[in-house]
Amino acid sequence: MHFTLLGSVSAETGARVVALDGNKQRTVFAALLLAHGKVVTDERLIRFVWGWDPPASSVNQLYTYVSRLRTRLGDGVRLERGGPGYRLDIGDSTVDWEAFRELADAGGAELRAGRYAEAERGLAAALALWRGPALTGVTEQLAGAEAPRMEEARLCAEEHRTEAALALGRHTETVAGLTRQVALHPLREGMRGQLMTALYRCGRQAEALALYEAGRRALADELGIDPGPALRGLYEEILRGALPAPPAPERVRSVLADPVREAGPPPEGAGATGLVPSLLPAAPGDFTGRAAEVEAVLAALSERRDVVVTGAPGTGKSALALYAAERCRDAFPDGSLYADLRTGSGARRPGEVLGWFLRALGADPDRLPGTLDERVQLYRTLLTGRRALVVLDNVTDDAQVRPLLPGGGPSRTVVTGVRAPLASLEGTRVVQLGALGPADAVRLLTAIVGPARIAEDPEAVVRIAEFCDRLPLALRIAAARLVARPQWSTTRLAGRLAHGHRRLAELRLGSLDVAAGLRHAVDGLPVRLAEAFVELASAGPPQLGVPDAAVLLGTGWEEAEEVLEELTDARLAEGWSAGADRRPCYRFPSLVRLFAQELRGASLAVA
């Protein structure tokens, strides 16, 4: 069996989840697990379950909870009476909290020994065991007594992993995650110092110094103290420009180029550097959910099939592609290529992308072919026999992506995009993304904001997730607003999002903007289809059928159905079949409807 404490308290045997009744039974179970086989007295268990004012029947109720646990956990686990209380012997079963501690301790030892790559891998594996705030689903008494030390262990592991990454020279990749952590824990000088180091090594000295000053003020205001000697010393080194370089920077991995085959010398313009390209951006460290979709991508790649990841704007297609690519990195030892095929003004030309790829593959930059066809031929020649992964992000249509496919051989491609016609690419596995499930939506908010603020008003958090249509992009923006505004409660943000006329404005922060993705999708529609979208999504009912659409558009049923299907292909509408006659039904998600209402209002204002 496997027992989970790092998230919702649960027990699993094989693929079956053991039923646990309510937070009181979960509390008894978790308290016994945390005792590591030692006896927990009745008095202590009762205090964890009911606090300092238990009911008169508390002893009998406790016996009932223990009896039910015995029945449901089965023969592999011994829950027995021991003097004044109970003890739990889990035998060969595993507990995620124990596994985390072992991995974190081993990673810390590797870090102290200067084996930074091994340390980072071990600590990343430890942190991956966390599925949310520790001890979710137990009483506040047990959570208050045990969760803080577990959260402290997690934060220490985060600091150790970051220390290893910085030692390896991976400062650029750490800035985003550290920025979030410092906002969540402004008084942790270790994390602040790590972010200062990362910023300085990224050439952002002024920001590093400003970060120190912000921390100094926070410590003075909250605790009435000055920064410690370690942070002050780091500040002085940055001020003088004397911060040492990373102790063990990762070198660019290289391999000998494949020997030239009997067919002759490499094509004209091909290089011979032997460098292995690695163009993939870092996968999101807080990637949440999508287990089935990730496994579908990995399974397809292992079967030597290309993959198309598609879904509505904001569903996290890019994040999933990068996360899956990171997980299968070892299967593609000859490198990775990446390109974002969308620009601020439209679609990027394949010829431009091929220029990037050819240079990364070692072609002489001064001798690149001038025509698209010649670049395609050289690109596929250079990939011959190589096992490389190509990720093509934000693709507009199949015509844009076809010249960038490696052709035959062991290299594989992952394509992300909104439009359904991408499914026409031959030999691909299509993985379609929708909204996150309710639990995963809350987990994503928790991963970004932190468990303490999420726990303030769980109901408000659920409402925030629903106001965001449980879209990863919208959830990230909402969470980022909470991080940027520590004075806001989740209740306050939920109240602001409840106002439909300002919700899209609330879901905009920096370069993240829900409306921008929707605007890009609508701008790609023919004029007549865009006008139909505004009419149907802004004025129609939340769910509509073909007859409803025909009335709103003033057309026949056949034409109305064609419009709805085209909007579904553009991922602006969702379609399904209902009733015994399997009639088609359609809906526009709430954020899409609000965007259409804004477009309609702007059109009326201009008129």
Side-chain angles (χ1 to χ4, degrees):
M1 297 189 72
H2 178 67
F3 304 129
T4 299
L5 297 175
L6 305 180
S8 295
V9 174
S10 64
E12 300 175 5
T13 173
R16 183 178 66 86
V17 177
V18 177
L20 298 175
D21 297 331
N23 67 339
K24 292 183 174 62
Q25 188 179 81
R26 291 175 189 273
T27 297
V28 173
F29 177 52
L32 292 169
L33 281 175
L34 289 167
H36 313 298
K38 297 178 181 177
V39 172
V40 184
T41 65
D42 293 353
E43 180 184 0
R44 187 169 178 79
L45 289 171
I46 287 171
R47 192 185 318 141
F48 283 148
V49 174
W50 289 282
W52 295 100
D53 188 23
S57 60
S58 58
V59 174
N60 290 334
Q61 291 188 53
L62 178 61
Y63 175 81
T64 300
Y65 295 142
V66 170
S67 178
R68 289 177 181 172
L69 281 172
R70 281 198 190 101
T71 301
R72 293 176 182 180
L73 295 177
D75 297 333
V77 175
R78 293 172 56 193
L79 205 177
E80 55 192 15
R81 186 74 184 173
Y86 298 92
R87 65 180 296 274
L88 181 64
D89 180 358
I90 64 172
D92 296 331
S93 300
T94 58
V95 184
D96 60 354
W97 168 236
E98 297 303 323
F100 165 79
R101 293 172 65 186
E102 290 177 9
L103 287 168
D105 289 346
E110 297 281 16
L111 181 65
R112 290 188 294 274
R115 294 186 287 270
Y116 300 112
E118 293 83 352
E120 188 190 28
R121 283 195 292 269
L123 290 161
L127 291 163
L129 296 173
W130 286 72
R131 301 180 183 178
L135 301 179
T136 299
V138 303
T139 62
E140 61 181 17
Q141 293 83 229
L142 179 62
E146 298 287 350
R149 71 180 179 94
M150 300 170 77
E151 176 65 9
E152 177 63 25
R154 185 188 70 81
L155 291 173
C156 287
E158 286 277 11
E159 289 189 16
H160 288 162
R161 180 177 67 168
T162 302
E163 183 180 344
L166 290 174
L168 293 168
R170 294 172 54 188
H171 36 271
T172 302
E173 300 174 24
T174 66
V175 168
L178 276 172
T179 300
R180 181 174 64 252
Q181 292 295 340
V182 169
L184 291 172
H185 309 284
L187 303 183
R188 290 187 78 94
E189 295 187 40
M191 285 184 172
R192 187 173 295 272
Q194 289 176 335
L195 180 54
M196 289 168 59
T197 300
L199 289 170
Y200 176 81
R201 289 178 180 164
C202 290
R204 299 160 66 177
Q205 180 182 18
E207 293 175 65
L209 296 173
L211 185 68
Y212 172 84
E213 181 59 27
R216 186 193 64 77
R217 290 197 303 270
L219 288 167
D221 293 343
E222 295 289 332
L223 303 176
I225 62 174
D226 292 325
L231 197 62
R232 291 200 305 271
L234 177 64
Y235 170 76
E236 291 168 2
E237 286 181 322
I238 291 175
L239 194 63
R240 300 194 311 269
L243 187 68
E250 288 182 323
R251 293 173 173 83
V252 177
R253 185 164 63 95
S254 61
V255 297
L256 293 175
D258 289 336
V260 178
R261 295 172 174 80
E262 295 182 0
E268 182 177 355
T273 65
L275 291 179
V276 174
S278 183
L279 306 188
L280 284 176
D286 51 16
F287 183 84
T288 302
R290 307 292 196 199
E293 292 87 347
V294 170
E295 289 306 315
V297 172
L298 297 177
L301 293 174
S302 69
E303 297 165 3
R304 302 186 66 176
R305 295 178 62 185
D306 294 335
V307 181
V308 170
V309 181
T310 184
T315 49
K317 301 177 291 295
S318 302
L320 183 139
L322 294 175
Y323 181 76
E326 179 66 32
R327 286 190 56 184
C328 66
R329 184 186 295 271
D330 292 342
F332 297 96
D334 296 320
S336 58
L337 301 172
Y338 171 88
D340 186 345
L341 272 68
R342 185 174 68 195
T343 70
S345 57
R348 198 179 300 277
R349 297 191 308 275
E352 178 185 6
V353 177
L354 284 170
W356 302 345
F357 287 179
L358 290 173
R359 285 187 284 271
L361 291 168
D364 186 344
D366 297 325
R367 301 173 65 189
L368 295 182
T371 68
L372 176 62
D373 287 345
E374 290 175 318
R375 289 191 174 193
V376 171
Q377 292 167 7
L378 179 57
Y379 168 62
R380 291 175 178 165
T381 299
L382 292 177
L383 282 179
T384 299
R386 296 199 191 195
R387 286 183 292 163
L389 182 64
V390 182
V391 178
L392 304 174
D393 205 6
N394 294 313
V395 170
T396 299
D397 55 31
D398 56 340
Q400 184 191 28
V401 77
R402 288 183 188 279
L404 304 173
L405 298 177
S411 292
R412 299 269 66 85
T413 308
V414 177
V415 175
T416 79
V418 170
R419 296 188 175 275
L422 288 173
S424 67
L425 295 171
E426 296 82 5
T428 58
R429 169 76 182 272
V430 177
V431 177
Q432 186 166 333
L433 303 186
L436 287 174
D440 284 337
V442 173
R443 288 192 191 102
L444 179 56
L445 289 169
T446 304
I448 300 171
V449 178
R453 291 176 75 186
I454 293 298
E456 293 171 358
D457 188 347
E459 183 180 346
V461 175
V462 172
R463 287 193 289 127
I464 290 171
E466 294 305 318
F467 287 140
C468 292
D469 283 346
R470 290 186 264 113
L471 293 178
L473 174 61
L475 292 165
R476 286 188 178 278
I477 297 171
R481 288 179 75 83
L482 287 171
V483 171
R485 293 166 175 77
Q487 71 276 17
W488 280 16
S489 65
T490 53
T491 310
R492 176 177 175 79
L493 179 58
R496 293 174 69 95
L497 292 174
H499 299 288
H501 65 279
R502 56 194 267 184
R503 190 177 305 162
L504 288 173
E506 294 286 342
L507 295 177
R508 181 184 304 123
L509 187 66
S511 61
L512 301 180
D513 186 356
V514 169
L518 294 171
R519 187 174 299 109
H520 183 82
V522 174
D523 288 346
L525 301 176
V527 174
R528 57 108 189 154
L529 190 58
E531 292 173 347
F533 160 73
V534 172
E535 184 65 30
L536 293 174
S538 65
Q543 296 183 10
L544 70 162
V546 172
D548 304 311
V551 171
L552 288 167
L553 298 175
T555 65
W557 285 21
E558 186 173 336
E559 185 177 346
E561 183 174 9
E562 183 63 26
V563 167
L564 288 168
E565 288 297 330
E566 287 185 65
L567 293 176
T568 303
D569 288 344
R571 308 304 184 199
L572 291 167
E574 299 172 354
W576 72 96
S577 299
D581 57 353
R582 307 290 293 168
R583 64 184 183 281
C585 292
Y586 304 85
R587 68 179 291 269
F588 295 96
S590 65
L591 294 177
V592 175
R593 289 170 60 81
L594 291 173
F595 181 69
Q597 289 165 11
E598 286 192 1
L599 293 180
R600 185 184 184 90
S603 177
L604 291 174
V606 171

